[in-house]
Amino acid sequence: MKTERLTLRPLRPKDAEALHRLVNDWEVTRTLAELPYPYPRSLADEWIALTVADLAAGSAYHLAITGKEGRKETIVGVVGLRLDAARRSGRLGYWVGRAYWKHGVATEAATRMTRWAFANLPLDLIVAEVTEGNVGSLKVLRRAGFREVGTGIRASLTTGDEHTVIAFEATRDDIFGRPEAPAADAANPDAKPLLLVAACALVDTDGRVLLARRPEGKKMAGLWEFPGGKLNPGETPETALIRELHEELGIDVTAACLAPFAFASHEYEGFHLLMPLFLCRRWRGIPSPRENQTLTWVRASKLTEYEMPPADKPLIPLLRDFL
């Protein structure tokens, strides 16, 4: 992963010496709780080996934070995310060597990891904890989009004592924002605005349905959905779909090939969404991602395995039974 100044990459055995030099520092370890001090050199080798195994298993993503000093790559810290698959959550952690404090490194790395994780991993929540009094880390999480949700008491391997921690969490909406509501009706300002969206289930010759995963940076990033989009003023659902399918996927569809199938009616916080779903079995061209989204063809029986926006979910049983 890249940021403006940094690279986040898997740790390697040859990183152990530099890692040990940075973390074997009382000012770094005293706020981390889970690391001993002094930090043995052999522990750096063991821990890097564990991160490689966790990465291969998909259970945790611990990455070196590196920058450039001239042409030389330099490790400046570590950022990590440990997953709880059953709860669809992750726990974020990070540290930066003292020489690189107050340069925005931790904020840049934590923000990049969080945004990437929501867009690419099966997560609904990311949590983090900060030792009370660690003002710098408090600022990092707030800048990254996390919300303070409470306090707790934790035992510290570093000091051998219990200490107070401040708990933070973030959802996909915290990081990428909530879906934008249309303008309110001036004649009826107390009523929720109605947002009209058209969607299409493209079905191939094997009976599979095309799903698109919203890319990092978009609202609801990381969720799978049927291709489609908002209706422009004066557009019919069919016209909107013909336009959207060409813009998003590079395929050409005619109105005659769009068969009305079902509709979703869902109430969001600031608006109400109405979304007709069409079926399409014929189009010209090969669907390809034109907006950085990820595409996959899914058997109808497997659709429930893909996390989708709440408005799309009621359509899945209908589509599955039909196909």
Side-chain angles (χ1 to χ4, degrees):
M1 284 182 273
K2 298 281 188 179
T3 71
E4 183 179 349
R5 300 178 297 164
L6 307 171
T7 297
L8 311 183
R9 61 157 176 82
L11 287 150
R12 305 162 184 159
K14 66 180 182 180
D15 295 328
E17 184 176 345
L19 182 83
H20 178 257
R21 185 171 59 253
L22 290 175
V23 78
N24 191 33
D25 179 337
W26 170 249
E27 290 301 314
V28 174
T29 58
R30 69 184 180 86
T31 60
L32 296 178
E34 296 180 358
L35 299 183
Y37 182 80
Y39 188 90
R41 172 64 178 78
S42 60
L43 192 57
D45 297 292
E46 295 172 10
W47 186 74
I48 288 175
L50 285 175
T51 70
V52 173
D54 287 341
L55 187 62
S59 59
Y61 297 79
H62 294 289
L63 305 177
I65 307 171
T66 72
K68 290 284 188 180
E69 291 187 355
R71 295 184 177 181
K72 181 183 178 182
E73 181 191 57
T74 302
I75 294 180
V76 300
V78 170
V79 61
L81 189 73
R82 182 163 294 279
L83 306 187
D84 184 338
R87 297 182 180 180
R88 291 182 57 85
S89 68
R91 180 173 293 275
L92 177 72
Y94 50 86
W95 59 264
V96 173
R98 190 176 2 166
Y100 307 100
W101 289 359
K102 297 183 180 181
H103 293 284
V105 171
T107 298
E108 199 168 321
T111 299
R112 184 71 182 93
M113 171 65 87
T114 301
R115 294 173 69 87
W116 175 86
F118 274 126
N120 295 279
L121 300 178
L123 295 174
D124 297 320
L125 182 72
I126 297 179
V127 300
E129 291 182 348
V130 176
T131 301
E132 188 177 49
N134 187 350
V135 177
S137 202
L138 290 172
K139 291 179 180 178
V140 166
L141 290 176
R142 288 169 181 153
R143 289 168 182 161
F146 284 73
R147 292 174 286 106
E148 185 177 332
V149 293
T151 59
I153 303 294
R154 299 287 183 269
S156 171
L157 180 62
T158 309
T159 65
D161 299 324
E162 290 187 335
H163 64 287
T164 301
V165 296
I166 302 172
F168 286 79
E169 65 180 35
T171 64
R172 181 175 281 102
D173 288 346
D174 291 321
I175 301 304
F176 297 118
R178 299 181 183 277
E180 295 178 2
D185 184 355
N188 192 7
D190 295 329
K192 280 191 173 181
L194 180 66
L195 178 63
L196 296 176
V197 172
C200 183
L202 294 170
V203 183
D204 70 5
T205 54
D206 291 328
R208 300 177 303 171
V209 179
L210 184 69
L211 294 183
R213 192 175 202 176
R214 295 180 67 83
E216 183 178 337
K218 283 197 171 185
K219 305 292 192 298
M220 297 189 288
L223 297 183
W224 296 90
E225 63 183 1
F226 301 110
K230 301 176 185 177
L231 275 65
N232 288 332
E235 281 188 324
T236 65
E238 291 85 351
T239 302
L241 274 181
I242 291 170
R243 173 181 53 77
E244 289 282 353
L245 292 173
H246 181 75
E247 292 174 356
E248 291 182 15
L249 305 175
I251 61 174
D252 294 318
V253 176
T254 64
C257 294
L258 294 170
F261 176 69
F263 71 91
S265 179
H266 184 81
E267 186 171 355
Y268 283 95
E269 183 176 343
F271 63 94
H272 195 96
L273 181 140
L274 183 64
M275 183 177 73
L277 177 68
F278 291 75
L279 293 183
C280 180
R281 296 180 184 271
R282 296 181 62 185
W283 58 87
R284 188 170 60 201
I286 299 175
S288 57
R290 287 190 163 187
E291 298 181 349
N292 297 321
Q293 72 272 48
T294 301
L295 304 180
T296 187
W297 291 97
V298 183
R299 296 285 180 190
S301 60
K302 301 290 186 180
L303 287 170
T304 55
E305 298 178 10
Y306 292 77
E307 189 64 21
M308 304 182 78
D312 293 55
K313 290 182 178 180
L315 299 170
I316 299 305
L318 301 175
L319 190 58
R320 182 187 57 212
D321 293 346
F322 178 79
L323 297 176

